[in-house]
Amino acid sequence: MILTPQTLDQIFPIAKHWLLGFVPATAQPLASAILSVVPILIAFPLLFAITTWLERKGLGRMQNRLGPNRTGPFGLLQPIADAVKSLTKEDIVPITADHVVHFLAPLVLVAAAFLAYAVLPIGRNMVLVNMNAGVLFFFAIGSTVELSVFMAGWSSRSKYSLLGAMRAVAQMISYEIPMVLATIVIIMQAGSLSTVSIVDKQAAYTGIFPHWFVFTPWGFMGFALFMIAATAESNRSPFDLPEGESEIIAGYYIEYSGFKFALFFLGEYLGMFATSGLAITLFLGGWSAPFSFLTWIPSYVWFFLKLLTLIAAFIWIRGTLPRLRMDQLMNLAWKYVLPMALINMLVAGIWHFMPTGPARWLVCTALLAAPCILLSLALKRKKRFQVRTYRFAE
Amino acid sequence: MVGEGILKGLAETARNFFGSYVSKQRLTTLQYPEERLPQIEAARSFPFLVYDGADPQPGLRCVACQICEKECPPKCILIKKSADKKPDAVGKPQFYPAVFDIDISVCMSCQICVEVCPFDAIKMDVDYDLPTADRFGGLLLDKHQLAKSNQYYHQIHPTEAASVDATLAAAHAKVDAKAKVAADARAAADARPNPAPQPQPQPAGGESQ
């Protein structure tokens, strides 16, 4: 068999098909499901392990430190050491905790995070379920994360946990709205809720340039808003108020130790990869190559390259920005991201009905840039505080 | 411009990220067990007992006066005074510590024991590499572990040790001079035809002063 770019691209579907040939016909649906799910259950936790190492190394270098460098060459075996450590640690459950809910919370988080991968097209013909309401499914599953976070905070029966969970739920609900609204422009333009057909729409080229949605004014704005909301959704710096190590110690997972804590960590990172994967699917052309002459590289390679790029961006942001205050967080969500998402929808509609040409570029860019700058200036305006007078203290 | 601060911050972290690969000056990490900083002369960790001469236990300057034990704020010193007297490094009979323990898990390195010691017998060490698998017994140092030579003291705190030696030498010279005067007086008394028992308390009193 000759290894053409086509076969290399389709190597996983072909391998699955070949393996299914050995299974009796009655067991084929089950075997097919297992063969599709197991690689996802292996690949993304592996990516999680690599990301923890990348993150610790990257943050270390940004702070002029070395990062982990004792376990293996360049500290590459650090994730294994961490896994062994968290497996051998004592699992402490507070005596007053609601044991069942306390036990279920990390499982719900990880299960929800894994379910989201069902609709992500990792490569050409490489999606677990080609659902016609894929994007909707993704957000429905994504909202389960709030449930597990609140389960963890509530069942621990600790003040810090509850505070962290309340912060987390307030933040996640606030940012879920702009996140969904930012994706609506894509659904409007693609005319489909299926992630597969959204990627197919973007996998075409004009000259050498792809038809990615991010290369349009509304797509770019939607991508920026989506990434802000995605950072907040995955509770990462600068939106890491729910964890807030310096204020509420670790928020909703303060009462977790050992492997349950590791599961929370895993769930959080899996959620981050899933939202990044959705951003890639919706805005960055999914598995399609960035230039037409690079299409010979297998599609799944492009997907993971884009994912790693977004992870690097997340790490870079985390190393740069300090944590927001609660009021700044809410102001950003409701006074900036949400109005911009609504305006963006309007602009996407205008784009759709205007004739192609430089005129619609100009109009749409102006329509987005003006409110963006005005809103930012309004948010930046100095607030005038009253001088506080004390009646009794002086 | 909006977002300028964020871009500046991103540029700064990127500069740090790449700079730490090229510039040794940026990456100040010291790989501790393999690399060490040069020792600072004024550094101090925990107290040790100084001995003169070659043999640690008879050479200890400590005479078990227990001032340091009483002054120690966290009460980490335990001294048991000996019942008998033994000759010290210069051959003078002295009390000595039968037990001298310092619990360095309690010690707060305040150096008050060093300040109050009238015999310059206890000084501060610089050794900070004191890990042990036994957190109780391993951190309770007895007088054998605490005894370190005057040469070692010169090695870790040269300036301080030199001045201590000078003071001690001056004190010794003073005692010697007194002893010499007393000996001369005794010799003069011996020369006179006086009753024998009289000169004997005199040298004893002269020596004790």
Side-chain angles (χ1 to χ4, degrees):
Chain A
M1 199 172 81
I2 308 151
L3 218 59
T4 60
Q6 276 76 28
T7 49
L8 203 62
D9 187 28
Q10 293 300 302
I11 194 146
F12 292 109
I14 290 169
K16 186 188 161 190
H17 194 76
W18 177 71
L19 281 173
L20 274 181
F22 296 103
V23 179
T26 47
Q28 270 194 1
L30 185 68
S32 163
I34 290 172
L35 282 177
S36 303
V37 168
V38 167
I40 288 182
L41 291 184
I42 293 169
F44 284 94
L46 202 68
L47 185 65
F48 159 69
I50 296 166
T51 306
T52 53
W53 177 79
L54 278 177
E55 178 145 30
R56 292 175 65 177
K57 275 300 213 194
L59 284 181
R61 286 292 175 170
M62 281 173 201
Q63 295 156 5
N64 291 332
R65 295 185 286 110
L66 283 169
N69 64 344
R70 294 275 153 173
T71 39
F74 305 106
L76 262 170
L77 300 179
Q78 189 66 36
I80 296 170
D82 287 342
V84 170
K85 183 193 119 189
S86 61
L87 275 170
T88 51
K89 264 181 127 175
E90 187 188 354
D91 176 32
I92 302 165
V93 182
I95 196 158
T96 52
D98 187 333
H99 288 243
V100 179
V101 183
H102 190 266
F103 174 75
L104 280 178
L107 297 183
V108 170
L109 181 69
V110 172
F114 270 123
L115 274 177
Y117 290 96
V119 292
L120 285 185
I122 292 161
R124 192 182 277 116
N125 302 327
M126 280 168 71
V127 64
L128 206 56
V129 196
N130 183 5
M131 218 180 280
N132 58 7
V135 179
L136 196 63
F137 172 82
F138 187 95
F139 286 117
I141 288 299
S143 61
T144 318
V145 173
E146 274 108 287
L147 179 70
S148 82
V149 163
F150 205 72
M151 276 164 78
W154 180 258
S155 66
S156 300
R157 205 176 276 208
S158 150
K159 295 174 194 73
Y160 291 121
S161 288
L162 195 59
L163 272 175
M166 283 163 70
R167 281 184 180 192
V169 170
Q171 171 179 327
M172 284 175 165
I173 289 177
S174 300
Y175 278 91
E176 196 128 302
I177 298 162
M179 193 168 172
V180 175
L181 287 179
T183 55
I184 281 184
V185 291
I186 304 297
I187 297 157
M188 282 162 70
Q189 198 67 25
S192 167
L193 274 167
S194 157
T195 47
V196 175
S197 60
I198 287 173
V199 174
D200 285 338
K201 280 247 160 52
Q202 298 178 78
Y205 298 89
T206 309
I208 58 163
F209 297 108
H211 289 186
W212 295 0
F213 288 133
V214 76
F215 297 131
T216 55
W218 50 270
F220 182 76
M221 183 43 89
F223 178 65
L225 296 175
F226 187 92
M227 287 320 285
I228 292 174
T231 319
E233 277 285 296
S234 50
N235 292 335
R236 283 184 63 87
S237 176
F239 302 104
D240 56 349
L241 287 98
E243 290 171 44
E245 292 96 339
S246 49
E247 314 149 24
I248 50 171
I249 305 158
Y252 48 87
Y253 48 60
I254 180 174
E255 299 294 356
Y256 285 89
S257 62
F259 203 65
K260 285 184 192 162
F261 181 78
L263 277 183
F264 264 110
F265 222 63
L266 173 70
E268 206 146 271
Y269 273 85
L270 286 179
M272 183 183 105
F273 300 153
T275 31
S276 304
L278 190 71
I280 291 165
T281 305
L282 295 176
F283 299 99
L284 300 178
W287 41 258
S288 65
F291 297 106
S292 60
F293 53 85
L294 286 175
T295 44
W296 56 272
I297 296 176
S299 52
Y300 45 85
V301 172
W302 283 119
F303 182 84
F304 280 102
L305 276 181
K306 287 171 189 175
L307 192 55
L308 282 173
T309 313
L310 283 189
I311 288 169
F314 272 124
I315 294 171
W316 192 6
I317 295 277
R318 180 173 168 187
T320 305
L321 298 180
R323 187 179 304 142
L324 290 181
R325 228 166 40 213
M326 198 68 193
D327 63 317
Q328 293 169 332
L329 178 89
M330 288 299 165
N331 276 344
L332 185 68
W334 296 101
K335 293 186 184 170
Y336 182 79
V337 181
L338 183 68
M340 280 316 295
L342 290 171
I343 292 166
N344 200 28
M345 279 164 64
L346 185 76
V347 171
I350 293 169
W351 174 276
H352 185 66
F353 288 111
M354 273 182 82
T356 39
R360 80 172 177 175
W361 269 92
L362 212 65
V363 169
C364 288
T365 311
L367 272 176
L368 280 173
C372 179
I373 290 166
L374 286 176
L375 274 174
S376 317
L377 288 179
L379 271 184
K380 262 178 86 173
R381 196 176 51 206
K382 280 269 187 302
K383 290 182 187 65
R384 287 176 50 165
F385 295 107
Q386 279 179 313
V387 179
R388 182 174 287 183
T389 50
Y390 297 94
R391 275 182 298 166
F392 304 112
E394 283 167 311
Chain B
M1 191 46 210
V2 176
E4 197 187 348
I6 292 178
L7 291 181
K8 260 188 201 162
L10 287 174
E12 182 60 39
T13 42
R15 208 164 31 246
N16 276 330
F17 183 84
F18 293 110
S20 67
Y21 282 100
V22 287
S23 144
K24 266 265 164 265
Q25 215 174 358
R26 255 180 209 281
L27 200 64
T28 52
T29 307
L30 197 77
Q31 302 272 338
Y32 160 61
E34 293 93 25
E35 300 168 28
R36 275 148 204 268
L37 282 176
Q39 193 71 56
I40 305 160
E41 204 192 322
R44 69 179 197 222
S45 59
F46 296 110
F48 72 98
L49 297 174
V50 188
Y51 68 82
D52 294 311
D55 207 356
Q57 291 316 312
L60 281 183
R61 289 180 188 168
C62 178
V63 298
C65 67
Q66 292 176 310
I67 295 176
C68 54
E69 188 187 21
K70 289 183 189 104
E71 293 288 337
C72 177
K75 297 273 171 266
C76 67
I77 304 178
L78 174 74
I79 302 173
K80 289 210 177 107
K81 198 172 187 166
S82 61
D84 56 332
K85 286 187 174 186
K86 273 190 187 170
D88 64 357
V90 289
K92 214 159 71 168
Q94 293 279 20
F95 287 111
Y96 61 96
V99 174
F100 197 115
D101 288 346
I102 295 181
D103 189 345
I104 57 166
S105 68
V106 176
C107 177
M108 61 184 201
S109 310
C110 65
Q111 212 178 344
I112 286 178
C113 52
V114 176
E115 309 283 345
V116 297
C117 183
F119 301 96
D120 285 309
I122 191 165
K123 292 291 168 198
M124 293 307 275
D125 205 346
V126 290
D127 189 12
Y128 52 87
D129 255 344
L130 301 159
T132 167
D134 176 13
R135 64 187 164 128
F136 300 112
L139 295 174
L140 185 68
L141 305 184
D142 64 12
K143 64 172 182 171
H144 299 281
Q145 288 160 299
L146 287 170
K148 281 171 185 172
S149 66
N150 196 25
Q151 284 78 30
Y152 175 76
Y153 182 39
H154 271 277
Q155 202 182 320
I156 57 173
H157 298 306
T159 324
E160 197 186 300
S163 79
V164 166
D165 270 9
T167 330
L168 283 179
H172 277 305
K174 218 169 159 186
V175 171
D176 286 349
K178 239 179 201 174
K180 199 166 177 255
V181 170
D184 288 350
R186 200 173 354 155
D190 280 348
R192 255 178 281 155
N194 265 6
Q198 218 190 348
Q200 256 167 7
Q202 247 182 347
E207 235 166 79
S208 70
Q209 271 164 16

